[in-house]
Amino acid sequence: MTKKQVDTLVIHAHLFTMQGTGVGYIADGAIAVEGSRIVAVDSTEALLSRFESHKTIDAVNCAVLPGLIDAHIHTTCSLLRGVAQDVTNWLMDATMPYGLQMTPAANIAGTRLSVLEGLKAGTTTFGDSESAYPLWGEFFEEIGVRAILSPAFNAFPLEWSEWKEGDIYPFDVKAGRRAMAEAVDFACAWNGAAEGRITTMLGLQAADMVPLEMLREAKEIAQREGLMLHIHVAQGDRETEQIVKRYGKRPIAFLDEIGYLDEQLLAVHLTDATDEEAIQVGKSGASMALCSGAIAIIDGLVPPAHIFRQAGGPVAIGSDQACGNNCCNIFNEMKLTALFNKIKYQDPTIMPAWEVLRMATIEGARAIGLDRKIGSLEVGKEADLILIDLTAPNLSPTLLDPIRNLVPNFVYAASGHEVKSVMVAGKLLVEDYQVLTVNEDAILAEAQAQAQQLEQRVKADSAHQKMVLMEAMAKGKL
Amino acid sequence: MTKKQVDTLVIHAHLFTMQGTGVGYIADGAIAVEGSRIVAVDSTEALLSRFESHKTIDAVNCAVLPGLIDAHIHTTCSLLRGVAQDVTNWLMDATMPYGLQMTPAANIAGTRLSVLEGLKAGTTTFGDSESAYPLWGEFFEEIGVRAILSPAFNAFPLEWSEWKEGDIYPFDVKAGRRAMAEAVDFACAWNGAAEGRITTMLGLQAADMVPLEMLREAKEIAQREGLMLHIHVAQGDRETEQIVKRYGKRPIAFLDEIGYLDEQLLAVHLTDATDEEAIQVGKSGASMALCSGAIAIIDGLVPPAHIFRQAGGPVAIGSDQACGNNCCNIFNEMKLTALFNKIKYQDPTIMPAWEVLRMATIEGARAIGLDRKIGSLEVGKEADLILIDLTAPNLSPTLLDPIRNLVPNFVYAASGHEVKSVMVAGKLLVEDYQVLTVNEDAILAEAQAQAQQLEQRVKADSAHQKMVLMEAMAKGKL
């Protein structure tokens, strides 16, 4: 029998396809890739009898999994990594003095660093929420990962001098409409770019940050353009207070009233949602993005993802942002998600490893509307996959029978540094720990240079003296 | 001026001495090492003007910290990594069928793997709690880390056939005394071995596992020999039930009554201690070992370390065991400790990064009675230190002024894989990520070979069919 020629064969893997309701394990498994897609998944013996390949990746002593999905990240923020933890009022008293000094050059340096970090740790899809800025899309095109770019907008004015804590936020509708139009333009221009690797959502920052008329317009635009809405929802008590003051009801009830609770919504955080509200959103067809690490550091809270899932809603995982997390690493998020929920319910059986691994792969893909393309290793899907080195000390030994220890070790023992190779859309981006598509050293050097300029600007602005961590600095605790 | 010759100079470091009440940062810091000890700590400029060295370690773009302390670990258990998570009754329904099949060869393979993993992640001191077995001490001597070996004993009989759940445990006093004598012999023989790198504690397994007369004897022996007692205390509701049934009071009250609550006690876990009981132990002069990861996975709980510290007791951190954690990594434990306690108290300011870093260094050293030798980088102390590569993507960029981001990033962003070099007692054990004192590949291969034999023995014993994870295996979830 003549063998069919394919671009790549991955052979001899502990293969976790994530097909079906579990993890879809295949011993000595193999995958055939042609172009950007998977054309066969079976045992190594079966595929070697059917295919020849231009390139063969020997995955002996490796696990092969679908690439991990980071559904909610602010990539620019890695330039602020580590400046805002262990504080109350994280946003205003720690992050903002740095955030105000960001520039387009700082933004792109931060994005490059975050994506480099995530890619090396096995993230292949980045749901990036940023105000669109120069080179944002171009960098994702260059590095080769999959992206769901969500250009974010709000209707805040430049000038807040008359606003007092407790007032409802002022809006500048004209500026807001302009920001929304720019976001829509970006979303439409980049949706489907890079042979479909880059798609978009509309990044409405939060329901308390734009007036009602813009909320209605954004929903209409999203429906017209076929875009999901990537929105922080019930992200904290300040949002709840704003919505209650303005509309007389809590955020979830308000969003329900204006027709936002449906399959088009990716609801980020839900930190301040009650269990009943989480169930309501979970039953509506909407999805949730869960950022365990960030919300623990910023708020000391565990969002209601467990109950959201029990209500039938799909949950994706996100690393949020490095100025309050402090890393862009889905292995970290999987571990924290499993452990925080065990603690929340005082029950070690809650959120077992396999469920969390599904949230980072196939369930996460469903949450962001891409489950027909990614999230599992099956014929017809895009070839987004990672190789994990099982001979790393912290993943050793490999036990297979009667109990297979690999999935628990991915969630509870791995750190992401065991990711040996990464393929997206059939193209190797990382091979034997080397990033192939960008210059890692240049990205690190650029981030350091931009960060030093950033902190000089922060230092030059006397507002920095009010930062709450200045006391810890003065006392020698940092 | 003639320069003094020393063995090693570490220069150009972001130096965290952990002296004083904070983190003791010195910019462009340096350390001079002679023999096993630190002879000077100052700026690089100052030390280069005073010293010449046989070896100079350029720590540019690195942080240098005291080596991390893992105060409570069962090193043999890494051979069972990943076989027991996401279950209730972790011990009996998941771990035990594997534990019963351990052999001396499996034990040492597990110990070698755990210590290799920990060392590469910056752990320099291992508080190992095991029933003494062949080559245990010898391996610690060989690899060169610091160890506090705590030979453990109990008075359980071999035969439990007549015991029913809810009964008090049966004791075999003769066997228990023999086990205790062996533990005492080991502890006395190894205390101060390897030029003082190896010290010992007496590892009484738990107060419910030996009869009262042996508890009294063990305390007398410990006092006579000048050994601390390394004991699981209030580790769960089963212990509490046993102690209440046998003595009519809860574990902490019972230990107080028999004179156990004092500086000689390292109380491990305290999971089932009330806040009042934790305060009582914290005020007594006793220390606590906190195993955040293990207790979250096994019980879904957060032990009362925060309140113990507020009562004045020192807390050390431990990784416990890889069959319920699943890694031997103090960076992991620091992160989980900080985050779990923020969640427990719904307060992001609880357990800030610098406090947790102190628990892993100087406070941990105090908890295990070694703060005059280790835990900070100061003149006269042992030279146990680690270099952390700050150019790792997940630790970049380095921000210094007005906020220094390094300590938060060690706790919230590092995974331990950024540890570049490790020195213990003045001797380099890891240099540029290479382990110098043992053969890493041989340790990994031996662990894998022993693990495969272990799982064959488990499979051959029909008792394995009762393991609770067999269902997850059957359903394709592992």
Side-chain angles (χ1 to χ4, degrees):
Chain A
M1 191 179 100
T2 317
K3 292 184 183 180
K4 185 172 180 331
Q5 183 84 20
V6 292
D7 290 332
T8 307
L9 275 174
V10 182
I11 59 173
H12 297 314
H14 292 278
L15 189 57
F16 293 86
T17 67
M18 307 310 290
Q19 290 187 34
T21 58
V23 296
Y25 177 73
I26 299 177
D28 197 9
I31 294 177
V33 176
E34 178 68 16
S36 70
R37 301 226 176 162
I38 295 168
V39 294
V41 179
D42 206 330
S43 69
T44 298
E45 189 182 3
L47 291 204
L48 286 178
S49 73
R50 288 172 55 196
F51 297 102
E52 285 177 338
S53 58
H54 294 292
K55 182 175 177 78
T56 300
I57 298 172
D58 187 350
V60 68
N61 291 327
C62 288
V64 172
L65 278 73
L68 304 182
I69 296 168
D70 189 335
H72 180 70
I73 179 171
H74 303 287
T75 54
T76 61
C77 292
S78 59
L79 226 60
L80 285 58
R81 190 195 308 275
V83 302
Q85 304 76 33
D86 306 317
V87 298
T88 49
N89 204 356
W90 165 87
L91 183 65
M92 298 309 293
D93 293 347
T95 305
M96 195 60 87
Y98 283 83
L100 289 174
Q101 302 298 336
M102 290 292 281
T103 61
N107 283 336
I108 190 66
T111 291
R112 287 179 174 134
L113 177 59
S114 294
V115 176
L116 174 71
E117 178 192 355
L119 170 60
K120 292 187 80 176
T123 303
T124 54
T125 296
F126 294 76
D128 197 10
S129 177
E130 293 287 349
S131 296
Y133 67 87
L135 304 180
W136 186 32
E138 286 82 354
F139 175 69
F140 281 97
E141 193 159 16
E142 175 194 1
I143 194 168
V145 299
R146 194 172 301 282
I148 305 114
L149 303 181
S150 302
F153 61 92
N154 62 45
F156 286 155
L158 280 176
E159 186 54 65
W160 283 65
S161 57
E162 294 188 11
W163 182 81
K164 299 188 308 296
E165 189 79 38
D167 288 354
I168 58 169
Y169 298 146
F171 290 136
D172 180 337
V173 180
K174 199 168 161 194
R177 281 233 167 77
R178 195 164 54 237
M180 181 164 72
E182 287 170 11
V184 171
D185 286 350
F186 184 97
C188 291
W190 282 90
N191 201 19
E195 293 89 51
R197 262 199 300 109
I198 298 178
T199 55
T200 58
M201 295 185 189
L202 200 51
L204 201 162
Q205 207 170 333
D208 60 327
M209 298 186 187
V210 301
L212 179 58
E213 62 209 84
M214 277 182 62
L215 285 168
R216 295 199 194 277
E217 288 164 27
K219 179 72 181 169
E220 281 172 24
I221 293 166
Q223 277 172 328
R224 186 182 73 216
E225 303 295 343
L227 298 172
M228 284 182 75
L229 285 150
H230 185 147
I231 314 181
H232 297 95
V233 175
Q235 67 175 321
D237 49 10
R238 296 209 308 185
E239 175 185 334
T240 300
E241 186 191 339
Q242 286 287 321
I243 297 284
V244 167
K245 280 192 173 158
R246 203 181 283 272
Y247 304 109
K249 45 183 64 97
R250 289 171 53 85
I252 303 302
F254 170 65
L255 288 172
D256 184 32
E257 183 182 82
I258 62 170
Y260 262 68
L261 299 189
D262 62 22
E263 292 75 6
Q264 209 166 18
L265 175 65
L266 176 62
V268 178
H269 296 327
L270 292 178
T271 313
D272 202 43
T274 64
D275 282 357
E276 292 69 29
E277 290 169 339
I279 291 168
Q280 184 183 356
V281 183
K283 284 185 172 172
S284 73
S287 302
M288 173 176 178
L290 170 66
C291 303
S292 292
I295 300 301
I297 291 185
I298 295 171
D299 299 313
L301 296 172
V302 182
H306 176 61
I307 207 151
F308 187 95
R309 296 178 78 240
Q310 287 189 308
V315 174
I317 293 176
S319 68
D320 209 354
Q321 84 301 94
C323 47
N325 188 0
N326 300 355
C327 46
C328 310
N329 181 319
I330 295 300
F331 283 95
N332 178 63
E333 296 304 317
M334 287 198 292
K335 179 189 293 191
L336 298 183
T337 295
L339 296 182
F340 290 175
N341 281 280
K342 293 178 197 311
I343 288 169
K344 179 172 182 171
Y345 295 99
Q346 303 199 350
D347 180 348
T349 69
I350 296 279
M351 293 229 186
W354 56 87
E355 288 191 21
V356 177
L357 186 58
R358 290 181 65 86
M359 290 159 73
T361 55
I362 185 62
E363 182 175 332
R366 184 156 78 90
I368 58 172
L370 289 183
D371 51 319
R372 281 189 289 186
K373 282 177 80 171
I374 59 170
S376 60
L377 301 175
E378 50 190 306
V379 173
K381 284 199 177 182
E382 295 284 291
D384 292 9
L385 56 86
I386 61 176
L387 272 70
I388 300 174
D389 181 2
L390 299 175
T391 67
N394 57 314
L395 297 181
S396 295
T398 297
L399 295 166
L400 297 173
D401 184 31
I403 301 295
R404 200 156 42 234
N405 67 348
L406 303 177
V407 171
N409 287 341
F410 300 152
V411 173
Y412 300 120
S415 71
H417 289 77
E418 311 81 1
V419 173
K420 189 179 175 185
S421 300
V422 180
M423 176 183 284
V424 175
K427 184 177 172 192
L428 271 177
L429 308 186
V430 180
E431 185 168 29
D432 288 336
Y433 305 101
Q434 299 303 309
V435 181
L436 304 179
T437 49
V438 294
N439 182 330
E440 179 172 352
D441 289 341
I443 287 175
L444 294 171
E446 180 200 10
Q448 183 62 37
Q450 286 295 329
Q452 286 174 214
Q453 294 175 33
L454 170 69
E455 68 180 352
Q456 283 166 13
R457 293 192 295 272
V458 171
K459 192 76 189 286
D461 179 353
S462 63
H464 83 265
Q465 289 159 355
K466 291 186 198 151
M467 287 194 294
V468 66
L469 284 174
M470 292 300 286
E471 187 188 340
M473 280 293 287
K475 290 188 174 173
K477 293 179 171 175
L478 287 175
Chain B
M1 189 178 100
T2 317
K3 292 184 184 180
K4 187 172 182 323
Q5 183 84 21
V6 293
D7 290 332
T8 308
L9 276 175
V10 182
I11 59 173
H12 296 315
H14 291 278
L15 189 57
F16 293 87
T17 67
M18 307 310 290
Q19 291 188 35
T21 58
V23 296
Y25 177 74
I26 299 176
D28 196 8
I31 295 177
V33 176
E34 179 67 15
S36 70
R37 301 226 177 162
I38 295 167
V39 295
V41 179
D42 207 329
S43 69
T44 298
E45 188 181 6
L47 291 204
L48 286 178
S49 74
R50 288 172 56 198
F51 297 102
E52 287 177 336
S53 58
H54 294 293
K55 182 175 177 80
T56 300
I57 298 171
D58 187 351
V60 67
N61 291 327
C62 289
V64 171
L65 279 71
L68 304 181
I69 296 168
D70 190 334
H72 179 70
I73 179 171
H74 303 287
T75 54
T76 61
C77 292
S78 59
L79 227 60
L80 285 60
R81 189 195 309 274
V83 302
Q85 303 75 32
D86 306 317
V87 298
T88 49
N89 203 356
W90 165 86
L91 183 64
M92 298 309 292
D93 293 347
T95 305
M96 195 60 86
Y98 282 83
L100 289 174
Q101 302 299 336
M102 290 292 280
T103 61
N107 283 337
I108 190 65
T111 291
R112 287 179 174 135
L113 176 60
S114 294
V115 177
L116 174 72
E117 179 192 354
L119 170 60
K120 291 187 79 176
T123 304
T124 54
T125 296
F126 295 76
D128 198 10
S129 177
E130 294 287 349
S131 296
Y133 67 87
L135 304 179
W136 185 33
E138 286 82 355
F139 174 68
F140 281 97
E141 192 158 17
E142 176 194 0
I143 193 168
V145 298
R146 194 171 302 281
I148 306 114
L149 303 180
S150 302
F153 61 92
N154 62 44
F156 286 155
L158 281 176
E159 188 54 65
W160 283 65
S161 57
E162 295 187 10
W163 183 81
K164 298 188 309 294
E165 189 79 39
D167 288 355
I168 58 170
Y169 297 146
F171 289 137
D172 180 337
V173 179
K174 200 170 159 193
R177 282 231 168 78
R178 196 165 52 236
M180 181 165 71
E182 286 170 11
V184 171
D185 285 351
F186 184 97
C188 292
W190 281 91
N191 201 17
E195 292 89 53
R197 261 200 300 110
I198 298 176
T199 55
T200 58
M201 295 185 188
L202 200 51
L204 201 162
Q205 207 169 332
D208 60 328
M209 298 187 187
V210 300
L212 178 58
E213 62 208 82
M214 277 181 62
L215 285 168
R216 295 199 194 280
E217 288 165 28
K219 178 72 181 168
E220 281 173 23
I221 293 166
Q223 277 173 327
R224 186 183 73 217
E225 303 295 343
L227 299 172
M228 285 182 76
L229 285 150
H230 185 146
I231 314 181
H232 297 96
V233 175
Q235 67 174 322
D237 49 10
R238 296 209 310 184
E239 175 185 333
T240 301
E241 185 192 340
Q242 287 287 321
I243 297 284
V244 168
K245 279 192 174 158
R246 205 181 281 272
Y247 304 109
K249 46 184 63 100
R250 289 171 53 86
I252 302 303
F254 170 65
L255 288 172
D256 184 32
E257 182 181 81
I258 63 170
Y260 262 69
L261 299 189
D262 62 22
E263 293 75 6
Q264 210 167 16
L265 175 65
L266 177 62
V268 178
H269 296 327
L270 293 177
T271 314
D272 203 42
T274 64
D275 281 358
E276 292 69 27
E277 290 170 339
I279 290 168
Q280 185 183 356
V281 183
K283 285 185 172 171
S284 73
S287 303
M288 174 177 178
L290 170 65
C291 302
S292 292
I295 299 303
I297 292 185
I298 295 170
D299 298 314
L301 296 172
V302 182
H306 175 61
I307 206 151
F308 187 95
R309 297 177 79 238
Q310 287 188 307
V315 174
I317 292 176
S319 67
D320 209 354
Q321 83 301 95
C323 48
N325 187 2
N326 303 354
C327 45
C328 310
N329 182 319
I330 294 301
F331 283 95
N332 178 63
E333 296 304 317
M334 287 197 293
K335 179 189 294 191
L336 297 184
T337 295
L339 296 181
F340 290 175
N341 281 282
K342 293 178 197 311
I343 288 170
K344 180 173 182 170
Y345 296 98
Q346 304 200 350
D347 181 349
T349 68
I350 296 279
M351 292 229 187
W354 56 88
E355 288 191 20
V356 177
L357 186 59
R358 289 181 65 87
M359 290 160 74
T361 54
I362 185 62
E363 181 175 331
R366 185 156 77 91
I368 59 172
L370 289 184
D371 51 319
R372 281 190 289 184
K373 283 176 80 172
I374 59 170
S376 60
L377 301 176
E378 49 191 306
V379 173
K381 284 199 177 182
E382 294 285 292
D384 292 8
L385 56 86
I386 62 177
L387 273 70
I388 299 175
D389 180 2
L390 299 175
T391 68
N394 57 314
L395 297 182
S396 294
T398 297
L399 295 166
L400 296 173
D401 184 30
I403 301 294
R404 200 156 42 235
N405 67 348
L406 303 178
V407 171
N409 287 342
F410 300 153
V411 173
Y412 300 120
S415 71
H417 289 75
E418 311 82 0
V419 173
K420 187 180 177 186
S421 300
V422 180
M423 176 182 283
V424 175
K427 186 177 170 190
L428 270 178
L429 308 186
V430 180
E431 184 168 27
D432 287 337
Y433 304 100
Q434 299 303 309
V435 181
L436 305 178
T437 48
V438 294
N439 182 329
E440 179 172 351
D441 289 341
I443 287 175
L444 293 171
E446 180 200 9
Q448 184 61 36
Q450 286 294 329
Q452 286 175 213
Q453 293 176 33
L454 170 68
E455 68 179 353
Q456 283 166 13
R457 292 192 295 274
V458 171
K459 192 76 189 286
D461 179 352
S462 63
H464 82 266
Q465 290 160 354
K466 291 187 199 151
M467 287 193 296
V468 67
L469 284 174
M470 292 300 286
E471 187 187 341
M473 280 293 287
K475 290 188 173 172
K477 292 178 171 175
L478 287 174

